Each structure stands twice: as C-alpha cells, then as structure tokens.
Amino acid sequence: MRIVIDYDDREVTSMLQRLIDAGGNPRPALLEIGLELQDSTIKRFASESGPDGMPWARNSEVTKARKGGRDQPLTGEGALGKEIYYDVVDGGNTLEVGSVMEYAATQQFGAKQGQFGRSKRNSPIPWGDIPARPFIGISDADEEMIIKQINLYLQDQID
C-alpha cells in the first residue's frame, strides 16, 4: 500500500524551479533535504507530536490495559519510528519520505472500529477506534530547512 501526502509550497516550488532553471540538478538538494526530513520525522516519536506540534492522542484506557498500562502511543517497541525512509524518484525530481510499515497509514490518518473488516473470530479490525497520530509531514522548522538547503544549492550553481 502506498499513501501519498503532497507538500506543495509556492516558495519552495519556486526555489526548486530556480535551481532547475539555473541548470542545476535538484537530486543532491533533495537527498540532503530527505536526510533532514527523515531525522525530524524520527524525532517526532520522542516528542510524541505531529509536524504541526500538536501532541498525539494518548492511548485509550482499553489500549493501556492491553499494553500493560503503557500510555505512550507509537513508542512500544519503536518499530515504526525506526522505519522512516526517503528516496528521490521521478528522474531525480521528487522526494518521498515515509515508512514501509503496514500500519503506518493507520497511525498517520487514524481508523474507525471495523474499518478494515472482521477477523476470523468475527472481531472488528481494528478492535477500536484509532485516532490519527500524524508523524509524516513538514513542520515550520522543516520548511525553513528546505528553503535553506535550496538556497545553498542555488549559490553553488551561481558560484
């Protein structure tokens, strides 16, 4: 399954176009930006908050009971927070940041009880509502970093 969240900021898009117009290859800039976005995404698991800075919903009482009282969402074994990747695709013009974990989209967007059908035992999947806990996206700090990185690559093209 592939989930796509497009980020289309006019200033960033304009700067990338300037880089291309200057004869530059956006791939090196996108790789650097990807590394930084990977790092900031992983750090969201420590802060338990989304790209907008909003804290993630806490575990419900039922979930806490099933997880031995643990209230921290998405931080159990930490698998999702360790499986964040980036890649430059589309001939070097598109940066993708995400996770290959099967449940990543459910955590990003949330899910209603039974949204994915029923188990062999006729239990709803998921067994309860899962609130959205966005971890992929562009924060204000990420946007500043993107602009800075593109400016650095533009300066290299001019020099």
Side-chain angles (χ1 to χ4, degrees):
M1 175 192 308
R2 181 180 167 153
I3 303 294
V4 175
I5 301 171
D6 287 324
Y7 175 74
D8 189 12
D9 179 271
R10 289 180 200 189
E11 183 176 7
V12 171
T13 303
S14 173
M15 293 182 77
L16 281 171
Q17 190 59 52
R18 282 179 47 210
L19 176 62
I20 292 167
D21 291 346
N25 175 5
R27 183 176 174 78
L30 292 175
L31 286 170
E32 184 64 33
I33 291 166
L35 182 62
E36 294 286 337
L37 289 176
Q38 177 187 39
D39 185 56
S40 71
T41 302
I42 290 169
K43 287 178 179 174
R44 291 189 186 115
F45 288 85
S47 69
E48 297 179 359
S49 61
D52 60 1
M54 295 297 295
W56 290 335
R58 306 309 298 167
N59 286 339
S60 70
E61 292 303 318
V62 174
T63 301
K64 285 188 338 190
R66 290 184 103 176
K67 297 188 178 241
R70 190 172 52 79
D71 187 30
Q72 294 127 324
L74 305 184
T75 58
E77 295 175 11
L80 182 58
K82 294 175 185 166
E83 298 291 332
I84 305 298
Y85 300 99
Y86 68 94
D87 194 13
V88 176
V89 297
D90 189 27
N93 294 316
T94 302
L95 172 65
E96 294 182 342
V97 179
S99 175
V100 296
M101 300 298 285
E102 187 174 311
Y103 58 94
T106 299
Q107 296 302 324
Q108 177 78 17
F109 301 109
K112 294 291 183 191
Q113 181 181 27
Q115 182 174 335
F116 305 122
R118 301 194 79 73
S119 71
K120 292 178 184 177
R121 296 182 187 175
N122 202 32
S123 299
I125 303 171
W127 51 268
D129 289 347
I130 299 173
R133 295 182 176 107
F135 57 96
I136 296 173
I138 306 293
S139 69
D140 290 344
D142 292 334
E143 188 171 325
E144 289 175 22
M145 174 275 300
I146 291 168
I147 291 168
K148 179 181 175 186
Q149 288 299 327
I150 294 172
N151 273 327
L152 288 172
Y153 279 90
L154 280 170
Q155 287 175 350
D156 287 346
Q157 293 302 314
I158 294 169
D159 293 341

